Amino acid sequence: MDPETGGPEIVKVTPLQQMLASCTGAILTSLMVTPLDVIKIRLQAQGNPLSKGKCFLYSNGLMDHLCVCEEGNKVWYKKPGRFQGTSDAFLKIIRNEGIKSLWSGLPPTLVMAVPATVIYFTSYDQLTAILRSKLGENETYIPIVAGIVARLGAVTVISPLELIRTKMQSKKFSYKELHQFVSKKVSEGGWISLWRGWAPTVLRDVPFSAMYWYNYEVLKKWLCEKSDLYEPTFMINFTSGALSGSFAAVATLPFDVVKTQKQTQLWMYESHKMPVPSNMSTWAIMKNIVAENGLSGLFTAKNNICKFGRSLFLHSHGQESEKFISNKSDIVKITEEKKDRQGSCN
């Protein structure tokens, strides 16, 4: 029992434990969500074949990755299937190609997606703990501030690496050629050119993060009070993450559509060595989408499964992993204390 609050003692999780929990949640999320996106890409490629140099977005449940089509029919997204729908594609891929094909293209994307997720969630947890210790437990704006700062940091760190990964995928570069590419990019557009695409990503991810964390903490607290619990269970984390993630994903969907279109267009211009038009700003792209397809064009949910899947799984797995890791740590401490007591008695 906690002598100050009269309730059960809350175990504090260390940053290392938070990182391990985030990593576990990220990997489990990718394993669960990736098959849905693989099937989506295979169905799209069946109706609209992906030619060399064309690009598409691949979502592993954690991040969107711009992928460039390679030459040849042996790559996973060009394999013939003749699928009749999602369930038919799921069964035929397992039967004809093996169950591992449902996770095609996953390993290269995890190299960046897992570190980005670890940075994001660990930063959020640490910032929340610091702000609550300074401002008090019941300040409702703490999740919003911590979510915004954590997402800004993660996006800023990952943006240049994503640009390099996309370039390396389009052509095999040696380290020397990669250095030359980065140097040329910096000399032509300055250091800021390495963060091209940062603005639409921030416009999408930062509002999503603020809304998600605020609603998540409010829902979690409310469900705990209704259940007379001091700590959330797996189902409370799962439900809070699903509901708050769904709401935030719908609210930020227009920026998701704009980011997808801007990423794709920028790559097409650069790959064909064409000058980038001046009307490639986020707001200009948004206006063009509305002019061509109306307001409904901003709510085309092609790639939003990534956000919903991330919301649905990451917190339930991450929070349970934190509990498991902290419980294991406590067991080790208790065992060591018992040994010390036994040694002193002997």
Side-chain angles (χ1 to χ4, degrees):
M1 296 288 287
D2 191 337
E4 293 183 5
T5 61
E9 187 175 356
I10 298 173
V11 179
K12 290 186 178 180
V13 183
T14 65
L16 179 60
Q17 290 172 337
Q18 288 169 345
M19 291 171 71
L20 290 172
S22 300
C23 187
T24 303
I27 292 170
L28 288 172
T29 300
S30 291
L31 292 175
M32 292 182 180
V33 177
T34 297
L36 301 175
D37 203 62
V38 168
I39 290 171
K40 182 202 76 175
I41 292 167
R42 293 289 295 272
L43 288 168
Q44 288 177 345
Q46 182 176 262
N48 186 20
L50 297 168
S51 55
K52 184 186 176 184
K54 197 173 181 180
C55 54
F56 63 92
L57 277 186
Y58 176 94
S59 298
N60 58 16
L62 304 172
M63 289 175 64
D64 294 340
H65 297 273
L66 193 67
C67 296
V68 185
C69 296
E70 299 174 14
E71 197 171 4
N73 295 320
K74 291 184 179 181
V75 288
W76 64 271
Y77 44 83
K78 289 187 179 181
K79 290 180 180 178
R82 296 181 182 178
F83 307 126
Q84 301 300 316
T86 302
S87 57
D88 183 56
F90 184 81
L91 293 171
K92 282 183 177 177
I93 288 172
I94 293 175
R95 189 190 312 129
N96 300 330
E97 302 172 23
I99 195 167
K100 287 197 296 184
S101 290
L102 292 174
W103 290 274
S104 299
L106 178 60
T109 65
L110 286 181
V111 173
M112 281 194 309
V114 171
T117 305
V118 170
I119 291 169
Y120 176 45
F121 280 91
T122 305
S123 299
Y124 173 80
D125 287 336
Q126 290 296 305
L127 284 167
T128 301
I130 292 168
L131 290 171
R132 281 178 176 164
S133 67
K134 300 288 185 183
L135 304 173
E137 287 285 333
N138 298 319
E139 294 292 346
T140 54
Y141 59 84
I142 287 176
I144 299 173
V145 174
I148 288 173
V149 175
R151 176 51 71 184
L152 274 172
V155 170
T156 303
V157 169
I158 292 299
S159 286
L161 300 178
E162 176 66 8
L163 174 71
I164 293 168
R165 186 201 66 83
T166 306
K167 193 69 180 176
M168 287 184 74
Q169 192 214 3
S170 66
K171 180 185 174 183
K172 289 186 178 180
F173 277 82
S174 65
Y175 287 110
K176 184 179 178 181
E177 289 172 326
L178 187 61
H179 180 264
Q180 289 172 347
F181 162 73
V182 172
S183 299
K184 184 181 178 184
K185 197 83 177 169
V186 171
S187 64
E188 290 176 352
W191 284 101
I192 198 71
S193 63
L194 296 178
W195 279 269
R196 182 180 284 180
W198 179 86
T201 303
V202 165
L203 282 172
R204 180 194 69 167
D205 286 1
V206 168
F208 174 87
S209 188
M211 284 185 279
Y212 173 79
W213 285 112
Y214 176 77
N215 291 319
Y216 172 78
E217 297 290 354
V218 168
L219 278 168
K220 186 175 71 172
K221 185 178 179 180
W222 182 76
L223 289 170
C224 284
E225 288 174 354
K226 288 290 181 183
S227 306
D228 291 326
L229 295 170
Y230 284 97
E231 289 190 24
T233 61
F234 175 85
M235 280 309 299
I236 287 176
N237 282 322
F238 187 90
T239 305
S240 302
L243 293 175
S244 57
S246 301
F247 172 76
V250 172
T252 58
L253 186 54
F255 294 111
D256 194 36
V257 173
V258 170
K259 174 185 177 289
T260 300
Q261 191 166 128
K262 185 168 185 176
Q263 269 190 321
T264 307
Q265 288 180 7
L266 280 172
W267 173 253
M268 293 302 291
Y269 282 117
E270 287 188 2
S271 61
H272 291 90
K273 296 181 180 179
M274 296 167 61
V276 178
S278 57
N279 62 340
M280 282 290 290
S281 69
T282 300
W283 301 113
I285 292 173
M286 194 174 282
K287 286 179 184 177
N288 289 337
I289 292 171
V290 172
E292 291 176 8
N293 304 305
L295 283 173
S296 60
L298 293 174
F299 292 89
T300 306
K302 287 183 180 178
N303 297 299
N304 231 34
I305 186 67
C306 170
K307 285 185 180 180
F308 180 73
R310 179 173 59 207
S311 317
L312 200 60
F313 297 117
L314 260 176
H315 259 101
S316 51
H317 291 312
Q319 295 285 346
E320 291 304 308
S321 297
E322 279 189 9
K323 287 181 188 177
F324 174 77
I325 292 166
S326 61
N327 287 341
K328 292 288 281 186
S329 178
D330 291 342
I331 290 168
V332 171
K333 286 178 183 176
I334 292 166
T335 305
E336 287 176 351
E337 286 172 4
K338 283 182 178 179
K339 286 180 179 178
D340 291 340
R341 283 199 295 268
Q342 288 171 358
S344 61
C345 290
N346 293 333

